[in-house]
Amino acid sequence: MENKKSKKIIHDYTTGNLPKQMLLFSLPFMLSNCLQVLYGIVDMIVVGHFVGSDGLSAVSTASQVFNFMNMLSLGFAMGGQVVISQLVGAKKTDELKKCIGTLFTLVGILGVVFTIAGLFICQPVLRLLKTPAEAFGLASDYLYICTAGLLFSFGYNLISSILRGEGESVQPCIYIAVAAVTNLIFDLLFVGVFRWGTAGAAAATVLGQAVSFVWSIIYLLHHKDAFGFDFKKASFYPDKAQAKNIISLGIPFALRSAAVHVSMLFVTALVNNVGLAASAVFGVGLKVDDVVRKISMGFNYASSSMVGQNIAAGDIKRTRRVVYWSWIYSAAVYLIFFFVYITNIELLFRLFTDDAQVLALAPVFVKAIVWSFPAMAIMRGTNGFISGIGNSGLGLAFSLLDGLILRIGLSWLLGTVCGMGLYGYFLGYGLATYGTSIPGAIYFLAGRWKNRKLRV
């Protein structure tokens, strides 16, 4: 897979000290995810202090739409990641090259299509989400610019997923670090100095993603042998069998992401209807909650790749242990953050804004969202497991239950029908996670997946 001069990229996790491997494999993901959170937090902090609550509301709402488009691409990239991890576990190096080339082409086409379509639907979607009138123009500016740079975000998702499938976590961390630093510099310049408002924050975001993507391509071109792909024109021609595998996994993964994000857009509309301060606190709250979600997501990424490799190698016992250790590590992370959140509510929100109305609503969000922590800890292991074995259909079913049924249903039921208002919307949003975690744990513990046919 590599020559002697090439830095090792592909890692085999079918043997060795599993708890140590998972922790070491997860740590760069956790760091890169922290940097990714910082990426979004910087936008919110700078906009909150230089633009105000209308800017916070605008970035919060527009980001939900942008993330929706971005997560659809991530679904296809995740489909490729599953195939790649199983190919690595099965030691099929020739098929690995075909899979990588096919994935590059498919995600590239998606990026072009989504960019063109996204530019046409920006304002209609913002109206559908009941964006506050004071924030509508600012949200439009932010969304148009971010959508124009969508290809760079798709590219980052693509390369990171390939590397995760190959067992590499350090390089994605470096790429997002480059993006975060670039974003910070240009955020302060465009918003703080030039006073370009939310348009400046969006431009900084796109520049960060562009620099990160170009950096990753340059690195991989210099380590082609270790990466397992030669970047020759002919190698990008889609392989029919690999395309079928990627699409059959990618569509359910993409729909899975879409289901969750549609539900988030619905909750955003409910919250926006309450008023500007409620919209701002939801935006800030999601960024605060994103810290623990993204850190713990490192175990999800690690378990997905490690499960894929081990089940392809036929080691059921080790596959089970991957999930058990993911649960242990994730539970520890959520327990720590529970105490951090509860004891530092106002401090966390004050990082973003000094608006008294927003700060007064901060406890409403935090006291609702911590109810989701046990479910989230379980999900990191089970979601990674379901992805790793390639059961995208089951993952889609769970996400539909979580997103389109429970998240929307519980938010509306608790907030509107039961009259709990804003707290009910936030609580329903958090409790919906049990719709994925409980069925996922039951499926894993039942063990009927052991004889499942693999994708490679």
Side-chain angles (χ1 to χ4, degrees):
M1 286 188 187
E2 57 182 318
N3 61 38
K4 292 181 180 179
K5 295 182 179 179
S6 295
K7 182 178 179 180
K8 186 176 181 181
I9 290 180
I10 300 176
H11 299 271
D12 187 344
Y13 290 114
T14 57
T15 60
N17 186 321
L18 194 151
K20 181 180 178 181
Q21 287 177 336
M22 171 166 279
L23 188 58
L24 292 178
F25 188 24
S26 299
L27 284 174
F29 287 140
M30 293 165 71
L31 178 57
S32 63
N33 287 344
C34 281
L35 292 170
Q36 201 165 23
V37 172
L38 177 64
Y39 201 109
I41 284 177
V42 165
D43 276 356
M44 295 290 283
I45 290 176
V46 174
V47 167
H49 286 286
F50 288 100
V51 182
S53 294
D54 51 348
L56 286 176
S57 174
V59 172
S60 171
T61 304
S63 292
Q64 294 292 339
V65 182
F66 176 68
N67 289 339
F68 173 76
M69 293 187 286
N70 198 27
M71 291 302 291
L72 288 174
S73 81
L74 187 58
F76 280 88
M78 286 176 63
Q81 175 188 327
V82 171
V83 179
I84 288 168
S85 67
Q86 293 186 3
L87 288 170
V88 170
K91 309 295 191 294
K92 296 183 178 180
T93 55
D94 291 337
E95 293 300 312
L96 177 63
K97 176 184 173 182
K98 294 178 184 177
C99 182
I100 293 173
T102 303
L103 190 59
F104 262 106
T105 301
L106 290 178
V107 174
I109 293 171
L110 277 176
V112 173
V113 172
F114 273 74
T115 299
I116 295 171
L119 292 172
F120 282 99
I121 65 170
C122 285
Q123 289 202 353
V125 171
L126 289 174
R127 291 191 186 95
L128 187 65
L129 294 177
K130 300 180 181 179
T131 307
E134 309 95 310
F136 190 88
L138 297 173
S140 296
D141 293 343
Y142 187 90
L143 189 53
Y144 272 125
I145 294 171
C146 284
T147 303
L150 198 61
L151 264 174
F152 298 121
S153 182
F154 275 36
Y156 170 78
N157 288 335
L158 164 68
I159 291 176
S160 294
S161 292
I162 293 172
L163 291 172
R164 284 196 296 268
E166 294 183 340
E168 167 62 31
S169 57
V170 174
Q171 286 304 314
C173 181
I174 294 173
Y175 304 151
I176 195 61
V178 170
V181 171
T182 304
N183 181 60
L184 173 61
I185 293 170
F186 284 103
D187 250 332
L188 294 173
L189 180 64
F190 293 162
V191 183
V193 178
F194 294 166
R195 301 288 178 167
W196 289 353
T198 55
T205 296
V206 171
L207 279 172
Q209 292 169 340
V211 171
S212 175
F213 178 63
V214 172
W215 184 294
S216 68
I217 291 294
I218 291 172
Y219 176 86
L220 294 176
L221 283 170
H222 284 85
H223 298 83
K224 291 183 287 189
D225 291 338
F227 183 47
F229 188 68
D230 57 18
F231 286 93
K232 292 180 180 178
K233 184 177 179 181
S235 298
F236 288 97
Y237 189 82
D239 177 80
K240 187 178 293 185
Q242 295 301 331
K244 182 179 179 180
N245 271 340
I246 293 168
I247 292 172
S248 64
L249 284 169
I251 290 177
F253 278 136
L255 292 175
R256 177 178 174 178
S257 298
V260 173
H261 278 75
V262 164
S263 69
M264 290 183 68
L265 292 173
F266 183 89
V267 177
T268 297
L270 289 175
V271 172
N272 283 348
N273 213 33
V274 176
L276 185 64
S279 178
V281 82
F282 189 48
V284 173
L286 289 178
K287 291 301 179 186
V288 171
D289 188 50
D290 226 13
V291 176
V292 64
R293 282 177 177 258
K294 288 291 175 65
I295 288 176
S296 64
M297 194 69 181
F299 299 117
N300 190 315
Y301 289 152
S303 61
S304 176
S305 296
M306 294 175 77
V307 163
Q309 289 190 18
N310 282 283
I311 198 167
D315 194 336
I316 299 299
K317 182 178 179 181
R318 189 174 172 87
T319 300
R320 285 183 178 276
R321 290 181 63 222
V322 169
V323 180
Y324 293 145
W325 278 103
S326 181
W327 282 347
I328 292 169
Y329 286 138
S330 298
V333 168
Y334 272 97
L335 184 61
I336 291 169
F337 273 89
F338 171 79
F339 290 106
V340 171
Y341 280 22
I342 290 297
T343 57
N344 296 277
I345 296 176
E346 185 173 335
L347 177 62
L348 292 171
F349 278 72
R350 196 174 285 279
L351 290 171
F352 297 86
T353 181
D354 294 321
D355 189 309
Q357 287 183 298
V358 175
L359 294 176
L361 291 174
V364 178
F365 179 87
V366 173
K367 290 178 180 179
I369 206 67
V370 293
W371 285 102
S372 69
F373 281 12
M376 293 301 300
I378 295 171
M379 281 172 56
R380 292 311 179 218
T382 54
N383 282 6
F385 164 76
I386 291 170
S387 298
I389 64 173
N391 197 341
S392 55
L394 182 64
L396 173 59
F398 287 168
S399 294
L400 290 173
L401 177 63
D402 174 337
L404 298 185
I405 298 176
L406 292 179
R407 197 178 305 268
I408 291 176
L410 286 175
S411 295
W412 175 76
L413 177 66
L414 296 177
T416 303
V417 177
C418 296
M420 297 173 68
L422 197 59
Y423 178 75
Y425 297 146
F426 295 156
L427 184 61
Y429 169 86
L431 292 179
T433 52
Y434 288 91
T436 296
S437 63
I438 294 175
I442 293 172
Y443 174 72
F444 167 71
L445 294 171
R448 296 185 64 182
W449 47 271
K450 290 185 290 186
N451 298 317
R452 180 177 173 79
K453 184 179 178 181
L454 301 180
R455 295 281 174 170
V456 299

